[in-house]
Amino acid sequence: MNSFFPPKGKHLLLDLSNCTKPLLNDAAEVELILKQVAEESGATIVSSFIHQFKPVGVSGVIVIQESHLSIHTWPEEGFASFDFYSCGDSVDLEGSVERLVKAFEGEIHEMKIIDRGFVPSDHD
Amino acid sequence: MNSFFPPKGKHLLLDLSNCTKPLLNDAAEVELILKQVAEESGATIVSSFIHQFKPVGVSGVIVIQESHLSIHTWPEEGFASFDFYSCGDSVDLEGSVERLVKAFEGEIHEMKIIDRGFVPSDHD
């Protein structure tokens, strides 16, 4: 009997367009929003890291107990790219999409939710 | 004419099984390996963050100019889950798979490479 069970999870890949441009270049505000979205989605925050690019752009990662939420922004384009990886089923990834759209006042340009950690029997 | 071009990129989602178990719980060594793989793959490192979970497990993110490389480990299972998101085409994501497999002495459990940042005309 194989006792190995890979950690099951879901991985949201989300691109938003037409976001509020100044916000996308405000590292402190972006960090606040990501933390809020992570918490409201049921994640437990471990740590966060935000980098301000020059002349413009922000990259940030919120490390959570369940994995991570990241952002990369292109303020001049009003474009933001997210990934939200959550192990287990305690984090509301679907709900986080609505929260991110609202917070960044953007539109969904592309969205995928990928299953992670399948076990072979899942595909029988 | 629409002058908006979303940043094109690729996003590797990789799960490795049967990795060297003690290595997966060694945050410093994991950080070194991730930095090395990022650099050897052509990425420019901006910063790195590693978290050691108790009793076991490591989460780490290398923020790169081109986006990020992350890891989450389950040492007791010999399991590690990566994502490597790269904007542009300067990073050798395919080559990074071989480097990660070798460094963690693991086997590919599951791998996907997702295109990011399509423009509508791509789908015509």
Side-chain angles (χ1 to χ4, degrees):
Chain A
M1 182 178 165
N2 186 353
S3 64
F4 172 66
F5 291 97
K8 290 207 177 206
K10 287 183 180 292
H11 204 140
L12 167 70
L13 307 183
L14 176 68
D15 290 340
L16 297 185
S17 57
N18 293 318
C19 299
T20 305
K21 292 182 180 183
L23 172 57
L24 294 186
N25 204 39
D26 184 336
E29 188 64 21
V30 166
E31 184 173 16
L32 275 177
I33 290 174
L34 289 190
K35 284 181 170 178
Q36 192 169 5
V37 168
E39 285 180 340
E40 288 178 359
S41 302
T44 302
I45 295 174
V46 169
S47 187
S48 67
F49 170 83
I50 300 285
H51 178 78
Q52 174 79 56
F53 284 97
K54 301 293 180 188
V56 292
V58 168
S59 278
V61 184
I62 311 295
V63 176
I64 58 177
Q65 192 81 28
E66 301 81 3
S67 287
H68 69 261
L69 166 60
S70 80
I71 186 172
H72 305 282
T73 74
W74 288 261
E76 291 171 312
E77 303 286 7
F79 196 85
S81 186
F82 303 85
D83 83 300
F84 197 169
Y85 177 23
S86 167
C87 292
D89 55 7
S90 61
V91 176
D92 175 25
L93 280 194
E94 290 79 2
S96 76
V97 174
E98 191 178 338
R99 292 181 187 102
L100 290 168
V101 166
K102 187 175 175 187
F104 290 96
E105 298 181 342
E107 299 165 10
I108 295 175
H109 180 78
E110 191 159 28
M111 182 182 84
K112 290 189 175 79
I113 295 182
I114 314 281
D115 287 320
R116 300 283 304 254
F118 82 96
V119 291
S121 61
D122 291 347
H123 290 229
D124 287 347
Chain B
M1 183 179 164
N2 186 352
S3 64
F4 172 65
F5 291 96
K8 290 207 177 206
K10 288 184 180 291
H11 204 139
L12 166 70
L13 307 184
L14 175 68
D15 290 340
L16 298 185
S17 57
N18 294 318
C19 298
T20 305
K21 293 182 178 181
L23 172 57
L24 294 185
N25 205 38
D26 183 337
E29 187 64 19
V30 165
E31 185 174 17
L32 275 178
I33 290 174
L34 288 190
K35 285 181 169 180
Q36 192 169 5
V37 168
E39 285 181 340
E40 288 178 358
S41 303
T44 302
I45 295 174
V46 169
S47 187
S48 67
F49 171 82
I50 299 286
H51 179 78
Q52 175 78 57
F53 284 97
K54 301 292 180 188
V56 292
V58 168
S59 278
V61 184
I62 312 294
V63 176
I64 58 177
Q65 192 81 27
E66 300 81 5
S67 286
H68 70 261
L69 166 61
S70 81
I71 186 172
H72 304 282
T73 75
W74 288 260
E76 291 171 312
E77 303 286 6
F79 196 85
S81 186
F82 304 85
D83 82 302
F84 197 168
Y85 177 24
S86 167
C87 293
D89 54 8
S90 61
V91 176
D92 175 24
L93 279 194
E94 290 78 3
S96 76
V97 174
E98 192 178 339
R99 293 181 186 101
L100 290 167
V101 167
K102 187 176 174 187
F104 290 97
E105 299 181 341
E107 299 166 8
I108 296 174
H109 181 77
E110 192 159 27
M111 181 181 85
K112 289 189 176 79
I113 295 182
I114 314 282
D115 288 320
R116 300 283 303 255
F118 83 98
V119 291
S121 61
D122 291 346
H123 291 231
D124 285 349

